[in-house]
Amino acid sequence: MPKDFKCLYCDRYFSSRQAYAQHVNRTHYDINDTSLDDKDFNRINRFEEMQTGWEESLPSITNENEEYEDQNMPPASHEYEDVLENTDVVSNFSKNYDINQTSQSNFDQSDRFEESNMEDYYSFEQVSPDRFEESNIEDYDNFEQVLPEREENVMEFPNEAYTDLMELFIKHNLNNKTGNAIIKFFDKYSNLSTSPLPKNIEAGRKLMDIMNVQKLPYSKHCILNYKNKEYFVYYRPIKSCIENLLSNPDIIKNFIYKYQFLQSDGETLYSEQYSGNWWKNAEASIRPEAHILSIILYSDATTIDSLGKSSLHPIYISLGNIRTWRRNKEDAKQLLGYLPILSANNEGQTSRFKRLARETFHNSLKFLLDPLFDEDGIDFKINNKNIWFFPRISTVIGDWPEACTFSLTFKSANSNYPCHFCQTHRNDLTSIRKDCIIIRNKENMQEYYNNGSAESIGLEQVYNYFWTIPNIDIYAATVPDRMHHLDLGLFRYQIEYTKELLGKSLEDKMNRRIAIIPRHPGLKIFAKGVQSIARLTASEFRDLMKVMVFVVDNLLNKDLSEVYIRWNRMYLMSRFERFTESDLENFQIAINEWADLFITLFWDCSSGMKMPKLHSWIYHIVDAIRDFGAINGYTTETYESLHKTYVKIPYRLSNKKDVEMQIMKNIRRRAMILRNQVKETKTPRALTYTAKLFIINFSNITELCNQQKNNLNINETMRKGFKEFQNCLYEYLSELKKSFTEGSLIKIFGSVTLKNGAILRATNKFHGRPWFSNIAVAMNNEELSKYQSDKGICYAQTLLITEVNVPNESPFHLVLVQWYDYRFDQNSDLYDCPLLKLVEWYNFIEIEAIEDIVHMVPRFDETNEYFVNKYLF
């Protein structure tokens, strides 16, 4: 399984090295401190590379009925690569068995499978939203699980080898053909008369299906019978989902029970959800000895085939009590189920059909969520203690159409009242004064519904289930999602409008500039420019944000550059983990300044800027922060990947029959395999060298430098390094009053790990291209008075990475660099970024003095001018 990067200084861990490095720099390291002390580095070197974590359900493999299995399975070649790369599980097979001669397996496994009987619903009237309290929905807590009839109370696998086989099979999404080949290989070469493995993978899966495992039930419920077709909710009981989350000890370590009023310098502070006004008000409405259990919902229909003709509508839950950084991990979210998607067939999207679809959606939510809302709250067990909770839905996360479906407002951006937060007319979306906005709420919307005039205010004439739930204003709870509002929304418009303003000739020039942006860890390079906006993902739009201000430099006019500067200022502020009231005021100013220029610059490119997302971001995002905490706590960035885990991969491996039920079974199997496993983590070790290029005795240094400085087969930057290598090394040693002795070795490497986990590179070819990292170096107090610096930081380009070994002394960890200086005599910033030039000044510095790797972007159409990219996030 992929390993997370565990922070050396706190309990957090990160999915990428880049995120880990940014966290260390921003949270645990003072940028003006020149280096870590010896104690710190000793801790790094002693720290164990593998840490324990915890991992929850991932997708599983498919195919239920033996008679049609493997009919549509993908080839197994790529799965074998995974097996070879992940030999930890395979090695367990031979731990207790000799694999040295042929034997015949006589192990067999059989079971029976029967479909459970589900209650049928035959009438459209049964889902009438006006009578939720009278709906004839079966007792949720007495559901019948869709599991095979059990002849025995099977609790575990027969033996360890059987367990390891099923773990290998499910964790790596292997198909039947691959799994059976592993069994055949084991049986052929094991020295056993009776095989410990199942006869085939089908038998292993069926054994898992009859195993009695708590907290992993799943079922289906008929929510509608319409035109002789039944529509089901495939689900896991919501209490079981919550119990799964609360049984994770790593989650409980980051679990908050009570509202916390936070302050900074006398100002109210909003950070986690428990510091927001919603939590304060919800907690005030319950008994003081009880606790709020904050329920976060996320749903989004997604296509499951390559043609986009088939879809599933998963819904997930998480808990706002979990700290944001931990909640953003995949195992802090649970699949609740799959909502029905009605088929229009020949009826078309009539008003009656649309109303039925909305009613069915809310009836499905009622069925899934009602078990939570008991007048006396619910006891959940945490660390073997019963804790009294009142579950409350805090936020609903999704894209704009999904938010409209929850709030039952019109989805069309062209409707007269398109905003699901307020009652602003579309003609006034960007011009209305904040104090003139009328907010939607349960009372005024229900009044329109009762009067039969809901459609006059952009509201569906359908009863909203959330009107019956305590402590939720569904119109405020459907919070603005940064990924859909900004990344895939307003920034996409900004790129499209920019291309329209530039015209064909300048657009081609823009694409050429994008294609030659220097590489940087975690930054995607668009080798052919931006060819198709429609195909870009949210992650790719975020990568464009980081460089577009340099791409449009002097391309058209100053306003075009300025709109990207203002965008970046606003976007970086949106990623703050904490906001004081002053921060919120500055954030609102940044939003307004960008929006004003955006509207002015691109007015002719749009239809009067009647964009609900623009309106929502300008007028409602700051209020959402006060209610629910920082935006990072309710963005879909970390939820979108769930579609791959719970929908796309298992669908691709299925036989495309009864897909939802197959997926639910697969998820259950995977949860069984992973429930007792711990997630592997590691802490990057500083001064770990890789890609050794040269190793020589000190006496041969002159010969090596003379050879390589004229070697046309290496990059010009490296040749420059060998040209300066010898003189700079002597100069460095003389300052230390050191000299080389017989037996001294010089090693030159292509890369090394820094103290923050980032990888420094100086190599001719990395994935086909040279890579010589640019770095930020902390200057000591004596040096600060001699040079211009960026708040104590100077910049340089790496030429050669060197380790010098002298007998009876600790190794010298050095890097040869060429320095940058400010482009002008006075400190010069352009676009909020330092503007530099390379100078003919070289020397060795200690690797420990390097603060971080930085991204240098050449200024286009200029010579020897470079921006320090300050827009990386």
Side-chain angles (χ1 to χ4, degrees):
M1 68 182 71
K3 298 180 178 66
D4 282 340
F5 292 88
K6 175 75 169 63
C7 181
L8 178 63
Y9 302 100
C10 69
D11 292 333
R12 293 183 63 171
Y13 47 90
F14 302 85
S15 59
S16 69
R17 184 183 292 271
Q18 180 195 16
Y20 171 82
Q22 289 181 351
H23 165 75
V24 172
N25 285 340
R26 294 172 181 172
T27 309
H28 300 298
Y29 198 77
D30 185 350
I31 200 166
N32 292 315
D33 192 9
T34 57
S35 66
L36 296 176
D37 58 25
D38 292 338
K39 182 179 178 181
D40 290 325
F41 277 102
N42 288 336
R43 287 179 63 205
I44 294 173
N45 292 328
R46 290 197 310 266
F47 203 92
E48 293 182 356
E49 198 164 278
M50 307 306 297
Q51 299 290 328
T52 57
W54 198 88
E55 185 169 58
E56 183 49 57
S57 307
L58 293 171
S60 177
I61 130 111
T62 171
N63 292 348
E64 287 312 317
N65 296 325
E66 191 168 347
E67 60 267 24
Y68 56 75
E69 302 228 279
D70 269 325
Q71 293 177 359
N72 297 297
M73 300 303 291
S77 58
H78 65 284
E79 284 95 348
Y80 276 118
E81 294 177 5
D82 287 339
V83 174
L84 292 174
E85 292 175 2
N86 295 275
T87 57
D88 54 330
V89 179
V90 181
S91 64
N92 290 333
F93 287 166
S94 58
K95 188 158 47 179
N96 300 314
Y97 304 98
D98 294 327
I99 305 179
N100 53 28
Q101 65 180 24
T102 303
S103 67
Q104 178 64 40
S105 169
N106 61 6
F107 182 89
D108 193 9
Q109 175 72 36
S110 63
D111 62 2
R112 299 189 313 169
F113 180 89
E114 294 182 6
E115 290 288 344
S116 63
N117 296 320
M118 307 306 298
E119 182 177 354
D120 292 330
Y121 283 73
Y122 294 102
S123 155
F124 169 58
E125 296 301 325
Q126 285 178 295
V127 294
S128 175
D130 299 342
R131 304 288 184 188
F132 275 122
E133 63 278 3
E134 299 176 8
S135 296
N136 185 23
I137 297 179
E138 65 183 8
D139 184 2
Y140 188 101
D141 290 324
N142 296 322
F143 67 88
E144 184 175 1
Q145 296 182 26
V146 184
L147 294 174
E149 181 180 335
R150 296 187 179 90
E151 295 183 354
E152 300 179 20
N153 191 22
V154 180
M155 299 294 295
E156 58 186 18
F157 292 104
N159 54 67
E160 187 177 358
Y162 200 124
T163 304
D164 290 340
L165 171 70
M166 298 311 297
E167 176 185 337
L168 175 71
F169 175 74
I170 289 175
K171 189 167 71 172
H172 300 292
N173 298 312
L174 305 184
N175 60 24
N176 289 349
K177 184 176 180 181
T178 305
N180 290 335
I182 294 173
I183 294 174
K184 184 177 180 181
F185 175 83
F186 180 89
D187 290 343
K188 181 177 180 180
Y189 294 104
S190 63
N191 185 24
L192 299 168
S193 59
T194 301
S195 174
L197 304 183
K199 182 178 179 180
N200 51 45
I201 285 297
E202 292 88 339
R205 283 204 321 272
K206 290 179 180 178
L207 176 65
M208 295 184 72
D209 287 341
I210 67 170
M211 290 173 68
N212 186 9
V213 181
Q214 293 183 348
K215 302 176 187 175
L216 296 177
Y218 61 94
S219 190
K220 66 179 181 179
H221 172 77
C222 182
I223 204 72
L224 173 69
N225 187 294
Y226 181 62
K227 292 194 172 182
N228 299 319
K229 181 176 181 179
E230 292 181 327
Y231 292 92
F232 291 92
V233 178
Y234 294 82
Y235 69 97
R236 300 166 64 193
I238 191 167
K239 290 181 181 178
S240 295
C241 293
I242 294 172
E243 287 168 353
N244 267 338
L245 291 172
L246 298 181
S247 66
N248 185 336
D250 191 60
I251 285 178
I252 296 305
K253 287 193 301 185
N254 296 280
F255 192 87
I256 304 299
Y257 295 89
K258 290 292 186 180
Y259 165 76
Q260 296 181 16
F261 175 67
L262 303 179
Q263 283 188 311
S264 177
D265 296 330
E267 293 188 79
T268 302
L269 182 69
Y270 307 95
S271 58
E272 300 283 347
Q273 192 184 98
Y274 58 77
S275 65
N277 293 330
W278 173 85
W279 196 302
K280 178 176 67 174
N281 296 332
E283 190 171 275
S285 69
I286 64 172
R287 297 277 296 275
E289 61 269 31
H291 308 279
I292 289 293
L293 188 67
S294 169
I295 306 295
I296 297 174
L297 299 177
Y298 166 71
S299 73
D300 184 22
T302 181
T303 57
I304 54 178
D305 61 356
S306 58
L307 299 178
K309 293 183 177 180
S310 301
S311 300
L312 286 178
H313 197 161
I315 181 169
Y316 309 89
I317 71 162
S318 188
L319 302 177
N321 304 67
I322 306 170
R323 295 183 188 275
T324 298
W325 77 266
R326 187 62 183 82
R327 188 168 70 245
N328 285 340
K329 304 297 179 183
E330 187 171 292
D331 65 342
K333 308 172 182 72
Q334 289 277 304
L335 173 71
L336 180 56
Y338 298 95
L339 303 174
I341 299 177
L342 271 59
S343 175
N345 295 327
N346 297 326
E347 181 179 0
Q349 294 290 325
T350 63
S351 58
R352 181 175 181 272
F353 178 81
K354 291 179 180 178
R355 177 182 175 184
L356 176 60
R358 307 290 190 275
E359 291 171 342
T360 304
F361 180 86
H362 277 251
N363 263 316
S364 300
L365 292 176
K366 173 179 172 59
F367 174 76
L368 294 173
L369 302 177
D370 260 2
L372 292 179
F373 302 113
D374 189 290
E375 289 183 3
D376 297 324
I378 302 175
D379 285 348
F380 284 106
K381 186 168 289 187
I382 298 179
N383 293 332
N384 295 320
K385 295 181 180 179
N386 286 326
I387 308 296
W388 186 15
F389 287 104
F390 280 84
R392 295 292 184 261
I393 297 173
S394 55
T395 55
V396 177
I397 304 174
D399 58 17
W400 188 273
E402 202 75 13
C404 292
T405 303
F406 275 89
S407 60
L408 286 175
T409 54
F410 289 173
K411 294 183 180 181
S412 173
N414 295 321
S415 64
N416 285 334
Y417 298 92
C419 179
H420 59 82
F421 292 97
C422 67
Q423 304 175 46
T424 302
H425 194 276
R426 67 187 298 263
N427 293 332
D428 303 323
L429 287 177
T430 57
S431 59
I432 191 171
R433 286 170 44 193
K434 181 71 179 283
D435 57 2
C436 295
I437 289 179
I438 301 175
I439 297 295
R440 295 181 190 265
N441 56 44
K442 169 185 173 181
E443 290 73 25
N444 58 30
M445 292 299 103
Q446 198 164 2
E447 183 177 352
Y448 280 105
Y449 170 81
N450 292 334
N451 293 336
S453 58
E455 295 183 359
S456 67
I457 200 64
L459 188 71
E460 301 281 0
Q461 190 65 39
V462 175
Y463 192 88
N464 194 311
Y465 163 63
F466 292 97
W467 292 343
T468 67
I469 298 178
N471 299 116
I472 181 174
D473 177 358
I474 189 60
Y475 309 101
T478 46
V479 287
D481 169 46
R482 182 174 58 210
M483 190 182 83
H484 288 96
H485 270 63
L486 299 189
D487 306 351
L488 296 172
L490 298 176
F491 189 73
R492 173 177 175 170
Y493 293 141
Q494 188 162 297
I495 294 288
E496 289 176 343
Y497 296 160
T498 296
K499 294 172 68 174
E500 186 174 338
L501 277 184
L502 292 176
K504 179 61 177 173
S505 177
L506 289 179
E507 180 186 341
D508 291 342
K509 186 175 182 180
M510 179 187 77
N511 282 325
R512 289 194 296 272
R513 289 183 172 187
I514 291 175
I516 59 176
I517 290 288
R519 66 205 309 183
H520 185 75
L523 181 66
K524 177 173 180 175
I525 301 301
F526 298 86
K528 297 182 180 180
V530 182
Q531 300 296 325
S532 175
I533 293 291
R535 294 186 177 184
L536 294 183
T537 65
S539 176
E540 288 169 335
F541 275 117
R542 287 193 290 271
D543 284 334
L544 279 177
M545 289 179 203
K546 300 169 186 177
V547 299
M548 279 301 295
V549 67
F550 312 115
V551 171
V552 300
D553 173 41
N554 288 332
L555 200 58
L556 185 66
N557 55 44
K558 290 184 178 180
D559 281 348
L560 186 59
S561 296
E562 184 65 21
V563 78
Y564 282 96
I565 297 171
R566 295 185 185 184
W567 171 276
N568 284 355
R569 289 172 185 162
M570 173 190 73
Y571 194 86
L572 289 175
M573 292 186 71
S574 79
R575 301 182 73 89
F576 284 2
E577 295 183 355
R578 330 168 357 135
F579 289 86
T580 63
E581 282 293 344
S582 296
D583 292 331
L584 290 178
E585 292 177 9
N586 292 332
F587 185 36
Q588 187 67 66
I589 291 172
I591 292 172
N592 293 341
E593 288 179 346
W594 166 78
D596 290 344
L597 184 55
F598 177 85
I599 293 169
T600 301
L601 186 61
F602 298 122
W603 180 267
D604 293 334
C605 300
S606 70
S607 55
M609 291 291 169
K610 298 175 181 178
M611 294 183 286
K613 289 181 181 178
L614 178 60
H615 163 84
S616 172
W617 188 254
I618 295 173
Y619 292 100
H620 301 300
I621 187 60
V622 170
D623 291 336
I625 295 172
R626 290 191 175 98
D627 284 339
F628 304 108
I631 301 169
N632 295 345
Y634 43 89
T635 175
T636 58
E637 290 175 26
T638 60
Y639 287 82
E640 288 289 307
S641 61
L642 298 177
H643 290 333
K644 181 179 178 181
T645 299
Y646 291 107
V647 179
K648 296 183 184 294
I649 290 178
Y651 174 81
R652 189 174 68 246
L653 294 174
S654 76
N655 51 37
K656 317 304 184 291
K657 298 180 181 180
D658 197 15
V659 171
E660 293 93 340
M661 188 53 64
Q662 285 195 48
I663 292 177
M664 296 295 285
K665 289 182 179 181
N666 292 331
I667 291 169
R668 180 179 183 271
R669 294 187 200 121
R670 178 165 289 273
M672 291 168 59
I673 290 294
L674 299 178
R675 70 187 186 278
N676 294 322
Q677 292 186 356
V678 295
K679 190 165 186 176
E680 295 179 347
T681 62
K682 64 179 180 180
T683 298
R685 293 184 178 181
L687 303 177
T688 300
Y689 293 94
T690 55
K692 187 184 295 182
L693 304 179
F694 302 96
I695 178 169
I696 59 169
N697 291 315
F698 180 73
S699 58
N700 298 326
I701 186 173
T702 302
E703 180 182 355
L704 175 68
C705 291
N706 288 336
Q707 283 180 348
Q708 298 303 321
K709 69 183 181 182
N710 298 314
N711 185 356
L712 298 180
N713 293 322
I714 65 175
N715 184 267
E716 179 183 356
T717 303
M718 185 170 282
R719 292 201 303 269
K720 188 192 304 182
F722 280 110
K723 182 179 178 181
E724 304 293 337
F725 188 93
Q726 191 169 2
N727 290 336
C728 290
L729 187 57
Y730 282 129
E731 181 181 345
Y732 175 80
L733 293 172
S734 64
E735 289 180 0
L736 295 179
K737 298 181 180 179
K738 298 279 185 180
S739 61
F740 283 114
T741 61
E742 180 111 9
S744 298
L745 286 178
I746 296 175
K747 300 176 184 178
I748 298 177
F749 295 89
S751 61
V752 65
T753 304
L754 302 182
K755 60 194 173 189
N756 65 358
I759 297 178
L760 179 72
R761 301 189 188 278
T763 180
N764 286 298
K765 188 174 290 187
F766 184 82
H767 292 285
R769 294 174 57 185
W771 194 336
F772 294 86
S773 300
N774 292 286
I775 56 176
V777 181
M779 311 302 288
N780 59 41
N781 293 330
E782 294 78 16
E783 294 172 319
L784 280 177
S785 59
K786 300 178 183 178
Y787 315 109
Q788 296 184 59
S789 69
D790 179 16
K791 299 178 182 178
I793 295 294
C794 288
Y795 301 100
Q797 183 181 38
T798 303
L799 303 182
L800 291 170
I801 298 169
T802 307
E803 182 186 59
V804 179
N805 293 275
V806 179
N808 302 319
E809 292 205 36
S810 298
F812 295 96
H813 305 287
L814 307 175
V815 57
L816 178 61
V817 300
Q818 180 179 5
W819 291 95
Y820 290 94
D821 195 6
Y822 277 87
R823 177 65 180 85
F824 303 105
D825 292 338
Q826 299 299 320
N827 287 7
S828 56
D829 280 9
L830 185 60
Y831 308 144
D832 294 343
C833 297
L835 183 62
L836 308 178
K837 62 181 178 181
L838 270 173
V839 294
E840 295 297 320
W841 182 21
Y842 308 86
N843 65 356
F844 274 100
I845 63 171
E846 296 178 1
I847 291 177
E848 292 92 328
I850 299 174
E851 287 292 312
D852 200 6
I853 296 170
V854 297
H855 188 215
M856 290 288 181
V857 182
R859 190 176 187 189
F860 298 104
D861 299 335
E862 300 291 343
T863 302
N864 195 20
E865 291 189 12
Y866 301 88
F867 292 103
V868 181
N869 190 349
K870 294 283 190 174
Y871 298 123
L872 300 178
F873 50 84

